[in-house]
Amino acid sequence: MQDHAIHDLSQGQKCRITTTLAILDEALCEFEQWAEGREMKSIFYREQNELQPDQREAIKNRVVRIREKLRELRDGLQIEVNSRSAVQRIWSQCSILWVSLIEVTSKHLKGYGDVPGELSDYLDPKVAELIELTNEIAAVIKKA
């Protein structure tokens, strides 16, 4: 790419390109993990990895090719790599989760209709514990 064309990009254009390519690159990390056999299992979250060996190899090959193109774009457009801090991500997620958890207390569920008293008695203390534990994770990060 012509050097002057790089300088002709507006800040908004460069930001949009960078954000889109970073999202693609992050998705590639997940695709690669699935191609390697990732299959997470938790309480409410489960992944079922039904990729066949030939699909896994094909995905890995495409990921390599896409990353080559991303590298070319990064170098050609002189895009700086932005690192994402695990500490910052955990802190952000805890903040978002706190709000989401508050919204499933009986007080907030009333917006969807009457909440049975038994549900309030059961749910609210459990949600309060989840909020407390999530806040403890945030506190661990804050100490660092």
Side-chain angles (χ1 to χ4, degrees):
M1 180 171 195
Q2 299 284 335
D3 192 41
H4 66 84
I6 295 169
H7 298 294
D8 290 342
L9 286 174
S10 72
Q11 187 60 31
Q13 291 167 331
K14 193 167 186 177
C15 183
R16 180 62 166 171
I17 291 167
T18 301
T19 300
T20 300
L21 297 178
I23 290 169
L24 172 58
D25 197 23
E26 186 175 352
L28 293 177
C29 292
E30 197 164 34
F31 297 168
E32 187 174 50
Q33 290 172 356
W34 282 320
E36 293 292 336
R38 178 181 117 179
E39 197 172 67
M40 291 186 182
K41 292 175 178 59
S42 192
I43 306 304
F44 285 100
Y45 180 78
R46 296 222 194 297
E47 293 178 347
Q48 183 177 350
N49 189 338
E50 62 278 336
L51 291 171
Q52 300 303 310
D54 59 325
Q55 292 173 309
R56 290 172 191 243
E57 282 308 308
I59 289 169
K60 288 180 198 178
N61 291 335
R62 285 357 177 258
V63 166
V64 168
R65 291 173 54 199
I66 293 170
R67 283 189 175 139
E68 289 171 2
K69 297 299 174 197
L70 290 176
R71 206 170 280 109
E72 288 175 24
L73 285 164
R74 181 198 63 200
D75 295 346
L77 297 174
Q78 301 172 357
I79 296 173
E80 303 232 357
V81 176
N82 291 321
S83 297
R84 294 177 70 183
S85 162
V87 168
Q88 200 57 38
R89 296 260 341 242
I90 292 170
W91 177 264
S92 298
Q93 286 291 337
C94 286
S95 298
I96 292 166
L97 291 168
W98 178 82
V99 172
S100 296
L101 287 166
I102 289 289
E103 291 177 354
V104 296
T105 60
S106 60
K107 175 183 173 185
H108 293 278
L109 290 176
K110 288 179 184 175
Y112 299 96
D114 290 335
V115 177
E118 307 83 43
L119 178 63
S120 297
D121 294 343
Y122 177 77
L123 183 63
D124 288 352
K126 299 225 180 293
V127 171
E129 287 180 70
L130 292 172
I131 291 169
E132 183 179 334
L133 291 166
T134 304
N135 286 340
E136 287 177 15
I137 291 173
V140 168
I141 296 301
K142 193 172 183 180
K143 286 181 186 177

